[in-house]
Amino acid sequence: MHTDDRRAADLEELGLTNYEARVYLALIRRDVFTAAEVAREAQVPRQRVYDVLEGLTRRQLAVLHPGKVAGYSAVAPEVAVDRLMEQQRRSLGRLERLSDDLARELLPTWDSGRTHTDPLDYVEVLRDAADISDRFARIQSEAERELLSFSRPPWVTPSENVAGFEASARLHAAGRTVRSLYSQDVLDDPVMLEVVRRFGEVGEEIRIAESLPLKLIVADGSTVLCDMPDPVARAGATTSLVIRHPSLAETLRMAFQSIWEQSPTLDEALKLREAATVRDAAAASAAAGAEGGAAARSAAEGGSAAVGGA
């Protein structure tokens, strides 16, 4: 990291904004700067530098020199750091008092809540399509370590799953796990096949299962979202369950892993499909040839019988 960037980051840790840190670092390079000069030196927008300088002056980290053209200078670094530390100590003291008061106020409510439990507090039932879509996006966006999913028709279009695309890229970049099992139906859908390839390009690991019983996503080994097609309601109706239960999530992770290990990659599945198509074509051609040969033999035998009869 560039030295000034590191110093600015340290000043931000002490409570300055990025612009304030950059302007202070510029001010210490010379005795006095005008606002325009320090804006150029610190690479801060001209329209913002006046507010930044006013803030530093108010916090006693810079000194204003009035005149026809006002100038500004920095206080000595050791003084500035001491003042920032003192401001942090005061802020920390206020937070400690606030947290103590808040804890005392909330404790009675928390205690009374221990007397009420609902065995299904960890299960949420969703039936509205918009609610299901929103929760699906949130689960993907909030995943920090792992996303595992069963994907089968009806497919979610890319415009409906921007969060999934971004989550795949984010988790992959962080060295985390993002894996999807797609049912073989995807091989017959050119549009969806292209979508799957796009997910693979940003880091999603992909395999093709022979069949999948339902659509499912498991996030961070603790949260499960699954679609449960309604066998009674109108065709296409579905109910989604959000279940926050680590034991259930772990069981489904094991099921996912079992199917994953038995399933080919997307490229392998496409090669297997192509080979099967070639075999089927060859078998059909052989069958047609055999039928043609049998018909020819039958015609020849019929002709010989006719000659003999004559």
Side-chain angles (χ1 to χ4, degrees):
M1 180 183 289
H2 189 277
T3 301
D4 274 356
D5 291 338
R6 178 182 58 77
R7 290 170 176 169
D10 289 343
L11 288 170
E12 288 177 56
E13 288 287 333
L14 289 174
L16 294 186
T17 67
N18 180 262
Y19 280 174
E20 287 174 337
R22 284 157 57 182
V23 167
Y24 179 80
L25 291 173
L27 288 174
I28 65 174
R29 296 176 190 144
R30 205 164 75 194
D31 186 38
V32 178
F33 277 96
T34 66
E37 290 170 339
V38 79
R40 286 194 300 271
E41 184 75 14
Q43 296 184 348
V44 169
R46 178 77 173 269
Q47 64 270 27
R48 291 295 313 278
V49 76
Y50 295 99
D51 291 340
V52 174
L53 286 166
E54 182 182 349
L56 290 174
T57 303
R58 187 171 57 252
R59 299 175 72 170
Q60 296 182 310
L61 303 178
V63 178
L64 168 64
H65 303 283
K68 186 174 181 180
V69 178
Y72 296 86
S73 59
V75 302
E78 65 272 20
V79 175
V81 170
D82 283 346
R83 287 174 178 169
L84 286 172
M85 285 297 299
E86 180 57 31
Q87 291 168 10
Q88 290 291 327
R89 281 191 286 268
R90 288 198 299 269
S91 177
L92 180 59
R94 287 194 298 271
L95 288 175
E96 287 177 343
R97 290 191 296 274
L98 174 63
S99 62
D100 288 343
D101 293 343
L102 184 60
R104 282 194 297 271
E105 289 178 13
L106 296 179
L107 186 58
T109 304
W110 187 86
D111 286 338
S112 65
R114 299 314 92 201
T115 62
H116 170 74
T117 58
D118 185 337
L120 293 181
D121 275 346
Y122 52 83
V123 178
E124 183 178 359
V125 180
L126 302 173
R127 292 191 175 89
D128 181 77
D131 290 341
I132 294 170
S133 178
D134 179 65
R135 186 53 52 86
F136 180 46
R138 283 171 52 194
I139 287 174
Q140 294 175 104
S141 297
E142 293 171 1
E144 296 179 350
R145 301 185 308 278
E146 181 181 71
L147 272 178
L148 309 176
S149 62
F150 284 174
S151 297
R152 52 164 290 174
W155 307 112
V156 177
T157 66
S159 61
E160 294 173 324
N161 193 22
V162 174
F165 195 80
E166 293 175 348
S168 295
R170 172 174 53 82
L171 290 171
H172 176 70
R176 306 303 187 184
T177 299
V178 52
R179 291 178 170 177
S180 284
L181 278 164
Y182 292 85
S183 64
Q184 284 192 345
D185 309 80
V186 76
L187 303 179
D188 300 318
D189 187 331
V191 174
M192 190 59 199
L193 192 58
E194 181 60 28
V195 171
V196 173
R197 290 188 187 280
R198 285 178 55 197
F199 271 87
E201 288 170 359
V202 297
E204 182 179 81
E205 297 179 65
I206 296 164
R207 293 195 181 182
I208 308 300
E210 185 174 350
S211 64
L212 294 171
L214 46 70
K215 298 170 74 171
L216 170 78
I217 188 166
V218 182
D220 292 340
S222 61
T223 303
V224 176
L225 170 65
C226 58
D227 278 352
M228 307 291 286
D230 196 323
V232 176
R234 68 188 185 282
T238 187
T239 296
S240 289
L241 301 180
V242 179
I243 308 170
R244 300 174 189 83
H245 197 294
S247 296
L248 174 63
E250 182 59 26
T251 300
L252 292 172
R253 286 183 75 253
M254 293 170 64
F256 179 95
Q257 190 63 26
S258 176
I259 300 174
W260 178 267
E261 291 173 353
Q262 300 172 31
S263 301
T265 65
L266 176 59
D267 288 340
E268 290 170 344
L270 288 170
K271 290 178 182 177
L272 290 171
R273 173 62 64 90
E274 183 179 355
T277 301
V278 171
R279 285 198 305 271
D280 291 345
S285 177
E291 290 177 2
R297 285 194 301 274
S298 176
E301 291 171 356
S304 297
V307 170

